[in-house]
Amino acid sequence: MDDDCDGEVDEDLTRACSTICGPGSETCVDGAWVGCDAPTPTDEECNGRDDDCDGPVDEELSRDCSTACGAGTETCSAGAWMGCEAPPPVPEECNDVDDDCNGLVDDELTRACTTPCGTGVETCSAGAWGACSAGGGAEECNGLDDDCDGVRDEEGCPCPIFEHGGHLYQLCTTTRSWTDALAACRASPGYDLVSLDDAAEETAVWGAAIAAADEDWWIGLNDRADEGTFAWPNGSTSTHRHWAGGQPNDYFGQDCVTVDDGTGAGEERGHWNDRDCGDSHRYICEAP
């Protein structure tokens, strides 16, 4: 009604109003209060505000999330989504698992490695590190120093090869007479029964031989051509000698020489002894 009789009905009438979210005002239209502009509750969103006006902010909000490794959920906190529980990609490890979730397992994983043969790399496959590229594996009978210990073919080969001073030495563990040993050495191109020309060579070669078999070993020295005049079969004029005490004694015509392990009567370990050339011993061949 036009209560003030100014020709207008319910003009300029407002009053305070409120919702759970706060105060506002509303206007009288045609005898009814309408249009309260107080903020109204809405569904809670992840925005740092109390959209539903119940006191807590961003409460109980979660949503699906994912990484390259799979699906999970994340929670809203202080207006931001965080804490995705999906498994995260991690640096690849050698474990037969796709740690970085790129679709490949143990992909392109290598690491440095060291063996007696030097430095190299090894590659991961199916959760295990493979052989080191530097080598140093089990010795094979192939003319190579597979385990890089300075001796070739020492596992299962009759004549493993030792290197010293630019020379190759076959450490033949099969026992033969001196003459058969000489023939066996010369059957390998470039080889002859060993000549020990100085103390350094003797120490190195006998050390390798005794490591292969702790026994007496034939060397090339002999006086078969001229009794009492010991010579090397390859024509070396070396006068290096390492006789045991009382040797050589030409006992019953002994003309060939061993380096002894020291276990026999009258032997001195690492010293030389003249022997019957028909005896059987291990022998050392040399290629210059």
Side-chain angles (χ1 to χ4, degrees):
M1 293 182 293
D2 182 11
D3 300 293
D4 57 6
C5 302
D6 63 355
E8 296 181 12
V9 176
D10 299 336
E11 76 275 12
D12 299 326
L13 287 180
T14 62
R15 70 176 182 182
C17 64
S18 66
T19 67
I20 190 174
C21 293
S25 65
E26 57 189 357
T27 303
C28 182
V29 177
D30 296 330
W33 293 103
V34 297
C36 182
D37 61 5
T40 57
T42 61
D43 292 337
E44 197 74 9
E45 297 181 14
C46 185
N47 54 14
R49 297 193 294 269
D50 182 15
D51 301 293
D52 58 6
C53 303
D54 65 350
V57 175
D58 299 336
E59 75 274 13
E60 299 180 1
L61 287 181
S62 64
R63 68 179 183 182
D64 293 336
C65 62
S66 65
T67 67
C69 296
T73 58
E74 59 187 356
T75 303
C76 181
S77 177
W81 293 105
M82 60 183 60
C84 183
E85 297 174 349
V90 295
E92 198 74 7
E93 297 182 11
C94 186
N95 56 9
D96 204 23
V97 175
D98 183 13
D99 302 290
D100 57 7
C101 305
N102 66 349
L104 302 175
V105 175
D106 299 336
D107 51 309
E108 300 179 2
L109 280 183
T110 60
R111 67 180 182 183
C113 57
T114 302
T115 73
C117 296
T119 300
V121 295
E122 54 190 7
T123 302
C124 180
S125 177
W129 292 105
C132 184
S133 64
E139 193 72 14
E140 299 180 14
C141 190
N142 57 8
L144 302 176
D145 183 10
D146 300 291
D147 59 6
C148 300
D149 65 351
V151 181
R152 305 182 189 183
D153 299 338
E154 67 266 29
E155 296 296 330
C157 288
C159 294
I161 299 173
F162 170 72
E163 298 179 55
H164 172 74
H167 292 220
L168 298 180
Y169 302 86
Q170 292 181 341
L171 309 175
C172 297
T173 55
T174 301
T175 59
R176 300 180 185 272
S177 68
W178 188 93
T179 51
D180 286 346
L182 178 68
C185 288
R186 289 178 173 176
S188 297
Y191 280 89
D192 209 336
L193 204 53
V194 68
S195 300
L196 301 176
D197 293 330
D198 54 53
E201 180 184 21
E202 178 190 356
T203 298
V205 175
W206 185 76
I210 213 71
D214 198 351
E215 303 285 347
D216 300 340
W217 290 79
W218 284 128
I219 60 176
L221 195 66
N222 70 96
D223 66 346
R224 299 171 70 220
D226 182 7
E227 182 61 41
T229 302
F230 284 88
W232 302 104
N234 67 353
S236 168
T237 59
S238 165
T239 58
H240 172 66
R241 304 289 186 266
H242 195 194
W243 297 111
Q247 300 296 329
N249 61 9
D250 195 34
Y251 184 71
F252 285 96
Q254 296 172 326
D255 292 330
C256 299
V257 178
T258 57
V259 183
D260 293 340
D261 63 2
T263 60
E267 292 184 4
E268 296 179 32
R269 186 171 177 81
H271 288 68
W272 303 359
N273 195 348
D274 62 345
R275 297 291 187 95
D276 187 323
C277 297
D279 291 348
S280 289
H281 297 290
R282 293 163 176 80
Y283 57 98
I284 306 169
C285 306
E286 177 184 8

